[in-house]
Amino acid sequence: MAATGVTALLTATGCGAADMTKQSSPYANVGGAKSVTLSVQSWVGAQSNVAVAQYLLEHELGYRVDTVQVDEIPAWDALSQGRVDAILEDWGHPEQEQRYVKDKKLIVPGGGLGVTGHIGWWVPKYFAEKHPDVLNWKNLNKYAKTFKTAESGGKGQLLDGSPSYVTNDKALVKNLKLNYQIVFSGSEAAQITQIKQFAKAEKPFLSYWYEPQWLFNQVPMVEVKLPKYTDKCAAEGTKDPESIDCAYPTTPLQKYLNADFSKEGGKAAAFLKKFHWTKENQNEVSELIASKGMSAQDAAKKWVEAHPDVWKKWLP
């Protein structure tokens, strides 16, 4: 997920990584070929979108689907160049939207995903119930020693995911004068492992986290209230990310298509524009992948077989 200045997200599992700024997919925009290339973001929710879309494109519409994992901002560059045809879950990138959608018109909106995303700082419910005042950011310094770990250098630990995520956490810690050190777990999967270990031992922790996410089903967490998000804060943060001092926004997640593919992509483009589901749908697939050990393809197949009432509306 990502947060450019004001929005954010993450990294996780699955598809082989590829540098799409250097290599073009052999399947993208092949003249006359029934092929589609989808960008897969690194977190499992994004994998779920692509897995279900891929399964239906292949089994219902007869397309060849290529998937490529690429970081959030490079994915926009790849999409603008036609190296990928669609991004199915974008958490908001104002600079890229301005450049590629509004100015150059190389990318077009593909409609809402149907899922609302939100990033924040979270503590486990078992800790919040005993220490309810922790849910106000103004009291976080009081708990810095409680959240201290061997990795946080004498300060409280704020657990983050991958260093590749575009987050506001560094600015927030500095601008809110919090006695905390950001500790990167390395990926969404590693962060989930760490959170589960804390929860199993009922240890306190403070973590950057987000919705929708299947992990809430297994480890209930409560959000710490940061200073209220405002458009003014967001606008200033877009100009200067280091100035951010307010909460992350609540973001209706969006799809984006390469402009040429949107016009010439036939049934595939029409299908992707109509792809629209709920966070419960997404979490169902995500939990099958990340917690139940199913492959993305098998998880998609299971979901598709159980929910024809949902996906049949997407077919052109």
Side-chain angles (χ1 to χ4, degrees):
M1 301 130 195
T4 54
V6 298
T7 55
L9 220 66
L10 351 127
T11 304
T13 65
C15 307
D19 184 350
M20 291 303 294
T21 64
K22 298 178 181 178
Q23 180 179 351
S24 177
S25 164
Y27 307 111
N29 292 334
V30 178
K34 291 190 68 174
S35 61
V36 182
T37 301
L38 300 177
S39 172
V40 186
Q41 309 301 67
S42 59
W43 51 95
V44 71
Q47 291 177 22
S48 299
N49 304 326
V50 171
V52 170
Q54 178 178 0
Y55 186 90
L56 290 169
L57 281 165
E58 291 179 343
H59 291 83
E60 294 293 325
L61 298 176
Y63 279 81
R64 165 66 183 264
V65 179
D66 184 41
T67 63
V68 184
Q69 183 169 315
V70 56
D71 289 341
E72 295 166 82
I73 292 177
W76 276 82
D77 299 331
L79 186 63
S80 73
Q81 297 160 8
R83 299 186 182 195
V84 299
D85 294 317
I87 294 172
L88 299 186
E89 181 173 310
D90 184 79
W91 284 65
H93 291 84
E95 290 183 19
Q96 283 67 33
E97 291 172 44
Q98 182 67 45
R99 180 183 308 128
Y100 292 130
V101 178
K102 298 176 183 177
D103 294 342
K104 296 187 176 182
K105 304 188 188 310
L106 297 172
I107 294 173
V108 298
L113 177 64
V115 176
T116 297
H118 177 65
I119 296 165
W121 293 357
W122 306 74
V123 295
K125 185 178 179 182
Y126 54 77
F127 185 78
E129 287 177 341
K130 295 179 180 178
H131 307 278
D133 63 329
V134 76
L135 299 180
N136 186 318
W137 71 270
K138 294 179 180 179
N139 298 320
L140 284 177
N141 280 340
K142 172 182 173 182
Y143 291 97
K145 289 184 179 179
T146 304
F147 293 129
K148 183 175 67 173
T149 69
E151 291 77 29
S152 62
K155 298 182 178 183
Q157 174 176 285
L158 172 58
L159 182 66
D160 269 42
S162 167
S164 71
Y165 299 165
V166 187
T167 81
N168 303 333
D169 288 357
K170 183 178 179 180
L172 285 168
V173 168
K174 178 184 176 182
N175 295 331
L176 299 181
K177 297 179 173 57
L178 298 176
N179 187 31
Y180 282 77
Q181 176 65 44
I182 298 169
V183 176
F184 293 100
S185 59
S187 69
E188 182 189 59
Q191 192 175 6
I192 287 171
T193 297
Q194 183 66 77
I195 288 173
K196 283 186 170 183
Q197 289 174 348
F198 281 134
K200 185 175 182 180
E202 291 205 357
K203 290 184 177 180
F205 66 85
L206 174 67
S207 184
Y208 162 102
W209 205 232
Y210 43 91
E211 298 178 301
Q213 231 295 335
W214 62 269
L215 186 63
F216 286 106
N217 297 340
Q218 299 184 11
V219 182
M221 289 180 269
V222 187
E223 186 175 7
V224 174
K225 290 186 178 180
L226 294 169
K228 186 178 179 180
Y229 171 85
T230 65
D231 291 340
K232 180 181 178 182
C233 174
E236 292 174 351
T238 299
K239 295 178 181 177
D240 177 14
E242 294 184 4
S243 73
I244 288 283
D245 60 1
C246 65
Y248 290 92
T250 296
T251 308
L253 305 183
Q254 301 295 313
K255 300 169 294 177
Y256 287 93
L257 277 59
N258 172 272
D260 289 340
F261 172 75
S262 178
K263 295 177 184 177
E264 303 165 9
K267 289 185 177 181
F271 165 80
L272 292 173
K273 291 173 186 176
K274 295 175 74 173
F275 187 105
H276 184 276
W277 62 351
T278 66
K279 75 173 184 179
E280 290 78 15
N281 294 147
Q282 188 189 82
N283 281 343
E284 186 177 340
V285 180
S286 296
E287 190 164 10
L288 291 174
I289 296 171
S291 183
K292 306 302 182 184
M294 293 181 71
S295 69
Q297 294 78 12
D298 288 345
K301 182 175 186 291
K302 183 172 182 178
W303 185 87
V304 165
E305 290 174 346
H307 299 282
D309 57 316
V310 178
W311 60 261
K312 284 190 175 181
K313 299 174 184 176
W314 308 339
L315 298 179

